[in-house]
Amino acid sequence: MYKTIKFPEVWKPSLYMYLSLALSISTHEGQFYWYTDPNAGPAFSQEFVGIIYAIGAMASMVGVLIYHKTLKDYPFRSILFLAQLLYSVSGMLDLIFILRWNLALGIPDYFFVIMEECVSRIVSRIRWMPMIVLSTRLCPLGIEGTFFALLMCIDSLGSLSSKWGGGMVLHVLHVTRTDFTNLWLVILIRNLLRFSTLALIFLIPKAGQSEVIIPSDLLTKNSTSIDGQDENIELVPLNVEKVQV
């Protein structure tokens, strides 16, 4: 595993996956309290917020179908660039909702928030699926399961870093359960960080999603060394003395 992670073809995509998750700071905690606030927010009930998330979860399956039907044959760099761009643009819907521009456009809160959640979940799934496929292409022969688990740990660390970063930004800008004055600024910072991730797309290989990414000699290195060790083994005759009773 240590020898594999040192290859640029492996550590560069792994670094991108971590940074793309970590830089998209989480603002869900602040948005949840804003959703239910009767003064600053739209005063949604907690039950309706749960319905919003349930509808978003169903919409994520649409994202999987879109990826499987139309996007699975694109090169990794192209599809991840497009997905990250859509992910950044879709984040602006939160900013529009926080600033209540949807009311100025004549769109009710209930309709807009459900539309925003569905679009966000679909784009998130389209962005997530190529990363999973890419992770499977980075696993060398013989330790596929162990190395894939390592890559998933890196992704989990990125998600955890996203929550830490979001909590720190909310704390620094004094966004609390009752004070949402700077919540729009937190959303704007999050969206700018998402756009900044596009500058790291060079870390992703240009290979297609069905191509082999890691060097072929890495796949046979372990087996070759084992065969060489077997050839150097000398068979030593075993002398067994008969014991007379």
Side-chain angles (χ1 to χ4, degrees):
M1 291 177 61
Y2 175 72
K3 292 180 179 179
T4 302
I5 202 69
K6 290 193 303 181
F7 278 85
E9 295 85 350
V10 177
W11 70 260
K12 286 183 178 181
S14 302
L15 178 61
Y16 175 85
M17 288 188 284
Y18 169 78
L19 292 176
S20 65
L21 293 171
L23 290 177
S24 180
I25 58 176
S26 176
T27 59
H28 292 301
E29 290 76 10
Q31 288 180 264
F32 173 80
Y33 291 112
W34 182 82
Y35 283 161
T36 57
D37 190 89
N39 298 318
F44 293 150
S45 65
Q46 295 184 7
E47 291 78 11
F48 182 72
V49 174
I51 293 174
I52 294 172
Y53 292 150
I55 294 175
M58 291 186 291
S60 64
M61 293 187 290
V62 178
V64 175
L65 293 176
I66 293 175
Y67 170 80
H68 179 71
K69 295 295 184 180
T70 62
L71 302 174
K72 64 179 180 179
D73 296 325
Y74 283 84
F76 281 116
R77 183 175 295 185
S78 300
I79 183 59
L80 285 174
F81 181 85
L82 175 62
Q84 185 64 35
L85 180 61
L86 292 175
Y87 189 58
S88 305
V89 173
S90 65
M92 291 299 178
L93 294 175
D94 287 330
L95 186 61
I96 294 174
F97 191 45
I98 295 294
L99 295 175
R100 311 311 301 274
W101 290 350
N102 62 295
L103 297 179
L105 296 173
I107 304 176
D109 288 335
Y110 289 90
F111 177 79
F112 188 86
V113 71
I114 291 177
M115 179 192 68
E116 181 273 329
E117 182 69 16
C118 290
V119 171
S120 177
R121 290 295 188 97
I122 291 173
V123 173
S124 296
R125 194 60 59 178
I126 292 175
R127 171 175 168 262
W128 180 72
M129 289 298 294
M131 291 187 182
I132 297 298
V133 177
L134 179 58
S135 297
T136 62
R137 298 301 178 189
L138 299 179
C139 299
L141 186 65
I143 55 170
E144 297 93 333
T146 305
F147 201 80
F148 185 79
L150 173 63
L151 295 177
M152 291 301 99
C153 288
I154 295 175
D155 289 352
S156 299
L157 181 60
S159 299
L160 187 59
S161 301
S162 169
K163 294 180 180 180
W164 286 343
M168 291 178 61
V169 174
L170 289 170
H171 176 72
V172 170
L173 295 179
H174 306 290
V175 177
T176 63
R177 295 186 179 185
T178 57
D179 186 3
F180 306 99
T181 305
N182 292 324
L183 181 58
W184 70 272
L185 184 57
V186 176
I187 301 296
L188 180 61
I189 292 173
R190 183 202 66 181
N191 293 340
L192 292 177
L193 289 174
R194 288 183 179 180
F195 277 110
S196 68
T197 307
L198 295 172
L200 304 174
I201 198 66
F202 69 92
L203 296 172
I204 298 297
K206 297 180 180 180
Q209 299 186 44
S210 59
E211 298 179 17
V212 177
I213 297 178
I214 59 177
S216 58
D217 58 343
L218 181 64
L219 302 177
T220 59
K221 192 172 184 180
N222 292 334
S223 60
T224 304
S225 60
I226 293 174
D227 294 339
Q229 292 176 2
D230 292 340
E231 292 177 358
N232 294 330
I233 294 178
E234 295 182 1
L235 298 179
V236 180
L238 181 63
N239 296 326
V240 180
E241 296 182 358
K242 296 181 179 180
V243 180
Q244 296 180 353
V245 181

